[in-house]
Amino acid sequence: MSERRVLPGPGSVDLWLLAVPGPGAAVPAREYALLDGAERRRARGFATPGGRDRYVRAHLLLRHVLARYVEPDAAALRFGRELPHGRPVLRGLSFAPHFSLSHSHGLAAVAVASAAVGVDVQRICPPGTVEACLSRLHPIERAELELLGPVERTRAFSRLWSRKEAYLKGLGTGLSRPPRADFLGDTDRASRPSGWSVRDVPAPSGYAAATALRAEEPHRVTVRTAPPTAGEEADSTPVR
């Protein structure tokens, strides 16, 4: 068992990243057994083996990461919702960390903090996706992107959308809140949502990632390379 980690202090986020193997790599039975009944039902509901495997591996990562901060082992963790459709939470603990999970095309991310937190990671979007989504953005965000050339626009949009999803996960609404309702662009950061710090974070080539923390000041992130099991150590890189 690895050493118990201290929960990040105010204004700080631990961000765990893991490259998720493709569907050809089987999940060991002892790992699959860590999931609870709700997670297994959700996994069985995926239409494709690839979608099912990505979901299973991401939730195993979440369990292993959270078990580093709280007393129960990975199999004993109980999940719930803050509200019927709100942020996910840990149940049955006197004190539990705030957390958020994201996974996209072979990469998974878990953010852990002492305040409400959201994380998003996604592969850089193709130009067609960018053009289709422009009308869903805040008007000033759309104006920012329309000033850019095609290549930089795809990268800037992916970073923007990652910030937006991280923030909406932190709120607990997800995309049920219209993406155009909040400004998360680059030209006027003072106009971003008050009471929240939202920032880009390093991600592997071809991806964009962001974290959002309920905080008045810009937050710090420590990026950790998450191991597939809780018994292995992880590299870490502070990001100011």
Side-chain angles (χ1 to χ4, degrees), residues 123-135 137 145 148-158:
R123 195 163 61 181
I124 300 298
C125 299
T129 299
V130 175
E131 297 305 315
C133 291
L134 283 176
S135 63
L137 299 178
L145 293 173
L148 303 175
V151 174
E152 181 52 32
R153 183 181 299 177
T154 61
R155 296 171 181 160
F157 171 84
S158 299

Side-chain angles (χ1 to χ4, degrees), residues 135-139 141-142 164 177-183:
S135 63
R136 302 178 64 189
L137 299 178
H138 187 283
E141 295 170 344
R142 187 164 64 247
K164 197 169 287 284
R177 181 177 174 86
R180 66 175 59 86
D182 306 287
F183 173 75

Side-chain angles (χ1 to χ4, degrees), residues 13-14 25 35 67 72 74 83 86 91 97 100 121 125 135 139-140 161 163-164 170 188:
V13 173
D14 279 355
L35 302 179
L83 297 170
R91 298 293 192 199
S100 182
V121 62
C125 299
S135 63
I140 301 177
W161 195 262
R163 292 194 296 270
K164 197 169 287 284
D188 184 10

Side-chain angles (χ1 to χ4, degrees), residues 173-235:
T173 65
L175 289 172
S176 65
R177 181 177 174 86
R180 66 175 59 86
D182 306 287
F183 173 75
L184 286 155
D186 285 315
T187 56
D188 184 10
R189 298 194 179 193
S191 295
R192 288 183 179 182
S194 62
W196 285 85
S197 167
V198 184
R199 59 170 296 171
D200 300 333
V201 293
S205 177
Y207 292 87
T211 52
L213 183 70
R214 191 185 293 279
E216 295 296 337
E217 300 295 330
H219 67 279
R220 300 173 298 279
V221 177
T222 298
V223 179
R224 303 185 184 281
T225 305
T229 64
E232 301 176 20
E233 286 306 315
D235 295 331

Side-chain angles (χ1 to χ4, degrees), residues 63-150:
R63 285 180 170 272
H64 283 307
V65 167
L66 292 178
R68 290 172 172 260
Y69 296 89
V70 297
E71 287 301 326
D73 62 24
L77 296 176
R78 294 170 48 213
F79 294 97
R81 290 280 176 181
E82 191 174 51
L83 297 170
H85 301 288
R87 286 187 296 264
V89 295
L90 286 172
R91 298 293 192 199
L93 298 174
S94 58
F95 176 77
H98 294 264
F99 64 90
S100 182
L101 169 68
S102 178
H103 52 98
S104 173
H105 297 89
L107 186 66
V110 176
V112 180
S114 58
V117 67
V119 67
D120 185 69
V121 62
Q122 60 182 285
R123 195 163 61 181
I124 300 298
C125 299
T129 299
V130 175
E131 297 305 315
C133 291
L134 283 176
S135 63
R136 302 178 64 189
L137 299 178
H138 187 283
I140 301 177
E141 295 170 344
R142 187 164 64 247
E144 288 181 5
L145 293 173
E146 288 173 345
L147 293 174
L148 303 175

